[in-house]
Amino acid sequence: MDYTQLTDTQRQAMLQSVGAARMEDLLKQIPDELRLGRALALPAAMDEPTLRDHLLQLARQNLGAQEQICFLGGGAYDHFIPAVVDALAGQGAFVTAYTPYQAEASQGSLQAFFEFQTMICQISGMDVANASLYEGATALAEAALMAINVTGKRQIMVSRGVHPHYRRVLQTYLSDLAAQYVEIPLKNGVSDFQWMQSNMAAETAAVLVQSPNYLGHLESVRTIGQFAHANQALCVQAFNPLAVALLQRPGEVDVDIAVAEGQPLGIPLSFGGPYLGLFACKSQFMRKMPGRLVGQTLDADGKRAFCLTLQTREQHIRREKATSNICTNQGLMALRAAVYLAALGPAGLRQTAQCCFDKTSYLADQLQRRGVNRMWPDAQFFNELLVQPKIPVKQILDAARSQNILAGLAVEDDYPEAPNGLLIAVTEKRSKRQLDQLVEIVAPA
């Protein structure tokens, strides 16, 4: 029932039942400056056909990547998704499934998660992977907490090249803990290794680095990891799950914990979520891993079977000794990633990654011919370019939007050291015609 249609007596009875004297008492935790201060500007009541038409008109105001040419990146990318991903992941048995606590009734979901874990180990080069987390930001934060638990140390060093949102989530995670957050500055678009060497302390639990980093540049992960290990700290890498088809995998450069945003693996942009957190580590740290782990065993008849194992989460027997308060996972998104990886296979992944790199290289060459160079041109890249146009970035973005083109991201607010920086992401979906069209906007002849 609408609260405004209640009588004064009914309203007062409702408020008294929850211990409030007036309606405003229920909203006192919301600061005054954040309150609307007026009634909602809603249209009059409509019949169902009229309401449907009204909602349809509102929905048509949204323009997604399907209606525009998308060069946005910064952690979410417009990749091609094979039809088989929607066809299999959209089956009712998967869409309606929840946590597979009852193993004997959840063998299908458990097997899917087990296969997902296996594929994540293969693409990351790590020993063991869990059955997914919420998204890349929480995966990185959980890696930091895990490093603290493993080492007993309290300082986390984070490269400024890590996604700004990831760093903010990490700071939130650490804010109520006896832990220190230290940020490694950038030099020439990548982590300042000399600064890290000079400032690493005995209490450093881990060094967190992203490669390719937020600005699109490849980091010297092996070197950073070697220095971290020499100081009894762990090395954590946030990686791109498609880029590893061409680049060295985290496990191949001796990373201790590898995390990633799984959105490039068959998950649409979807207005920013739901996405998928990938998490893998070396086998010696397995018992400190957050989230869930699906294991393979044999049943009473000797047949292959699956179950949740190493469930050291707080809602089980561990309580305050749990490794993490992560209490569920993005199961449907993990399934999409598993179907995507199985559909493309190693050759398909490599072809997709190569296509992204080749098209990005073409765009870089065309922009350079027009006098628009990459910021820090000595830094290597995968599928994102950070350029410094001669035209203000806002003007470029507005002009591109008028042609239904999302030209990229302005990075100056998060990275003042990159004034008028434009971050452009190129995926396998972008055609030569679209790339040339973007060149004309960013660097008109």
Side-chain angles (χ1 to χ4, degrees):
M1 179 181 293
D2 187 345
Y3 179 80
T4 61
Q5 295 178 351
L6 298 176
T7 66
D8 290 341
T9 301
Q10 289 173 320
R11 292 179 187 175
Q12 197 60 37
M14 290 180 65
L15 290 169
Q16 288 177 353
S17 67
V18 296
R22 55 199 184 106
M23 184 66 178
E24 286 70 22
D25 292 342
L26 302 178
L27 307 175
K28 62 183 179 181
Q29 70 273 25
I30 303 175
D32 290 338
E33 62 269 20
L34 299 181
R35 299 190 192 186
L36 184 60
R38 60 172 174 78
L40 292 173
L42 296 176
M46 307 176 193
D47 55 48
E48 186 173 348
T50 305
L51 178 60
R52 288 191 177 213
D53 288 341
H54 175 66
L55 293 176
L56 182 61
Q57 293 303 318
L58 292 177
R60 284 175 176 165
Q61 295 180 32
N62 292 324
L63 289 178
Q66 299 301 322
E67 293 81 28
Q68 301 175 92
I69 302 171
C70 183
F71 290 97
L72 298 178
Y77 305 92
D78 182 31
H79 288 290
F80 174 74
I81 301 175
V84 66
V85 176
D86 289 328
L88 293 182
Q91 293 188 25
F94 290 121
V95 173
T96 60
Y98 183 56
T99 300
Y101 289 125
Q102 193 173 357
E104 63 272 21
S106 307
Q107 286 297 292
S109 294
L110 287 168
Q111 180 176 355
F113 294 152
F114 181 83
E115 304 295 354
F116 164 82
Q117 292 173 177
T118 302
M119 294 176 189
I120 299 308
C121 287
Q122 290 172 336
I123 66 171
S124 67
M126 304 300 291
D127 298 328
V128 60
N130 69 14
S132 80
L133 297 176
Y134 299 141
E135 22 72 351
T138 51
L140 186 74
E142 289 290 335
L145 297 186
M146 179 174 163
I148 291 173
N149 290 334
V150 167
T151 64
K153 300 180 179 183
R154 313 303 297 180
Q155 186 191 84
I156 297 296
M157 297 190 76
V158 187
S159 168
R160 186 164 164 73
V162 171
H163 196 303
H165 296 174
Y166 293 17
R167 286 185 276 127
R168 290 170 198 158
V169 170
L170 175 60
Q171 288 173 309
T172 300
Y173 265 62
L174 298 179
S175 60
D176 289 330
L177 300 177
Q180 182 185 13
Y181 174 96
V182 176
E183 202 161 273
I184 304 169
L186 298 181
K187 183 177 181 180
N188 298 325
V190 295
S191 304
D192 189 336
F193 182 66
Q194 291 181 334
W195 188 97
M196 187 186 79
Q197 286 180 304
S198 301
N199 290 272
M200 181 170 286
E203 271 298 295
T204 302
V207 179
L208 278 56
V209 62
Q210 181 175 352
S211 184
N213 66 23
Y214 182 78
L215 301 178
H217 303 146
L218 306 186
E219 298 272 2
S220 299
V221 180
R222 183 187 295 276
T223 302
I224 292 173
Q226 288 173 342
F227 185 76
H229 294 154
N231 289 271
Q232 290 76 51
L234 302 186
C235 178
V236 178
Q237 180 190 351
F239 69 99
N240 182 317
L242 276 181
V244 290
L246 293 181
L247 307 175
Q248 285 185 308
R249 300 174 297 168
E252 294 172 330
V253 292
D254 202 24
V255 164
D256 297 295
I257 306 172
V259 300
E261 171 55 65
Q263 183 274 331
L265 305 179
I267 299 173
L269 291 170
S270 300
F271 297 96
Y275 285 167
L276 171 67
L278 308 182
F279 194 107
C281 68
K282 292 179 177 178
S283 58
Q284 63 260 42
F285 306 133
M286 180 168 54
R287 289 186 176 274
K288 298 290 187 180
M289 180 181 288
R292 71 182 68 188
L293 188 67
V294 178
Q296 177 179 264
T297 184
L298 298 177
D299 64 14
D301 298 322
K303 296 180 180 178
R304 190 184 187 206
F306 305 90
C307 65
L308 290 178
T309 186
L310 296 180
Q311 299 179 67
T312 56
R313 298 183 296 155
E314 82 291 339
Q315 70 270 46
H316 293 98
I317 62 172
R318 297 289 290 176
R319 296 184 181 271
E320 71 279 359
K321 295 181 181 179
T323 58
S324 169
N325 65 358
I326 289 287
C327 56
T328 186
N329 75 321
Q330 296 288 52
L332 189 59
M333 300 301 107
L335 177 66
R336 292 185 67 92
V339 175
Y340 177 89
L341 289 169
L344 267 66
L349 281 178
R350 193 176 302 110
Q351 182 180 3
T352 300
Q354 187 68 56
C355 191
C356 292
F357 174 73
D358 291 345
K359 291 186 176 185
T360 308
S361 299
Y362 171 80
L363 178 62
D365 290 341
Q366 295 304 307
L367 288 173
Q368 187 176 28
R369 291 184 180 185
R370 296 286 185 95
V372 175
N373 298 317
R374 292 173 50 222
M375 283 189 176
W376 304 297
D378 291 335
Q380 295 178 305
F381 61 87
F382 169 58
N383 77 320
E384 290 181 272
L385 298 176
L386 179 63
V387 298
Q388 191 174 38
K390 299 176 181 179
I391 304 171
V393 167
K394 185 181 184 305
Q395 183 178 330
I396 291 173
L397 298 180
D398 290 343
R401 197 174 296 114
S402 68
Q403 300 182 42
N404 277 336
I405 298 175
L406 302 172
L409 297 172
V411 303
E412 186 172 355
D413 287 347
D414 289 310
Y415 293 90
E417 61 267 45
N420 204 47
L422 176 63
L423 185 65
I424 305 171
V426 183
T427 71
E428 75 283 7
K429 288 180 65 174
R430 302 285 71 87
S431 66
K432 180 178 180 298
R433 178 185 62 80
Q434 293 170 345
L435 295 171
D436 291 340
Q437 194 173 354
L438 180 65
V439 170
E440 292 296 332
I441 297 172
V442 176

